[in-house]
Amino acid sequence: MTKGIQVAIDGPASAGKSTVAKLVAKRFNYVYCDTGAMYRVVTLAAFRARLTMDQTEKIAELAKRIKIGFQPGEPEQRVFLNDDEVTQDIRTAQIDNNVSAVAAIPAVRAEMTNQQRQIAANGGIVMDGRDIGTTVLPNAPVKIFMVATAHERARRRYVENKAKGIATASLEDLQKEIELRDQKDSTRKVSPLTQAPDAIRLDTTKLSIDEVVDAISEIIEKTQEQL
């Protein structure tokens, strides 16, 4: 009996991918893999090792040595670097502003992609990121490309940070950071942020979380019926 299908959700920073992916996975009793968190863990590990972002070979070596782990948690999935919980540590402005540079290192992407494919091999997986539908799971039966305006994404990040008690920049500064992140993610040489030709584009600017989850769930159900 199949465990389910592969669902790839891509899109720019703060489009709500992780929030939606978790809820979709829960609805279908699928595994959720937060690929963005994996790159954030590598970035944090690099800072803790006192590496600079231009020390790409050392960062790549580090990515192969560390152990990245996930555990269920409320209200969010718990993330571990080796045996150290780093759920909050990977959500700081320092990580936000440097994770794109780490994610652009070819050897780091190769290592993370390999790990992600192993996790998804048995199906029944919801995976979100920047290049899931184009690079990591190019044969996924369901591919979603979530978008929203930069202003709306900044507003969501601002509200989320406030709710978590995380020190946050102004709404205007957050929007500038997100626009810069978009530019970095879209123009990097390795696996740039781009919509897969067969992905369904979903603009979430004016949609609630529940409406987005319902829309994606409907796509999954229709796909399952066709397989």
Side-chain angles (χ1 to χ4, degrees):
M1 182 178 177
T2 179
K3 293 182 179 180
I5 62 176
Q6 295 177 343
V7 179
I9 301 179
D10 290 309
S14 299
K17 302 183 299 297
S18 296
T19 299
V20 167
K22 291 171 192 171
L23 292 171
V24 170
K26 189 172 183 180
R27 181 173 293 191
F28 287 87
N29 197 28
Y30 280 10
V31 172
Y32 166 62
C33 179
D34 185 350
T35 65
M38 295 173 74
Y39 288 104
R40 286 175 174 273
V41 172
V42 176
T43 307
L44 177 65
F47 278 119
R48 288 186 172 180
R50 300 187 183 280
L51 298 177
T52 57
M53 293 300 99
D54 60 349
Q55 293 178 284
T56 56
E57 290 185 5
K58 290 187 176 181
I59 293 174
E61 291 170 5
L62 184 65
K64 294 179 180 180
R65 294 199 308 268
I66 63 173
K67 177 185 174 186
I68 301 172
F70 297 102
Q71 289 184 13
E74 291 295 338
E76 60 187 336
Q77 186 169 238
R78 299 171 69 197
V79 185
F80 292 82
L81 165 55
N82 298 324
D83 294 323
D84 181 22
E85 182 173 359
V86 294
T87 309
Q88 296 299 325
D89 296 340
I90 63 171
R91 299 295 172 183
T92 64
Q94 183 187 46
I95 303 301
D96 286 349
N97 296 333
N98 289 280
V99 64
S100 289
V102 171
I105 300 171
V108 172
R109 294 207 72 82
E111 176 63 24
M112 294 299 105
T113 296
N114 181 51
Q115 291 187 25
Q116 291 153 15
R117 285 175 177 160
Q118 289 176 4
I119 293 170
N122 293 324
I125 183 90
V126 180
M127 192 175 286
D128 71 289
R130 300 289 189 283
D131 64 343
I132 308 306
T134 55
T135 302
V136 182
L137 303 177
N139 297 317
V142 172
K143 298 178 185 177
I144 308 294
F145 194 80
M146 283 178 56
V147 297
T149 63
H151 177 76
E152 173 61 17
R153 287 183 282 139
R155 187 195 67 78
R156 291 173 184 172
R157 175 64 63 83
Y158 184 82
V159 171
E160 180 182 358
N161 287 350
K162 285 285 189 181
K164 292 180 179 178
I166 299 174
T168 186
S170 67
L171 186 59
E172 182 180 0
D173 286 342
L174 279 176
Q175 183 170 335
K176 289 179 181 177
E177 289 176 5
I178 283 174
E179 289 170 344
L180 178 60
R181 178 84 181 275
D182 287 350
Q183 193 270 335
K184 289 179 181 177
D185 288 345
S186 299
T187 58
R188 69 187 180 209
K189 293 181 180 179
V190 181
S191 295
L193 169 66
T194 185
Q195 180 175 338
D198 55 345
I200 296 173
R201 190 179 184 89
L202 184 59
D203 190 333
T204 70
T205 303
K206 297 181 179 179
L207 299 179
S208 69
I209 291 173
D210 288 342
E211 287 172 331
V212 177
V213 171
D214 286 343
I216 294 176
S217 296
E218 186 176 332
I219 293 168
I220 293 172
E221 288 166 357
K222 286 183 178 179
T223 303
Q224 288 176 326
E225 290 172 3
Q226 294 168 358
L227 293 176

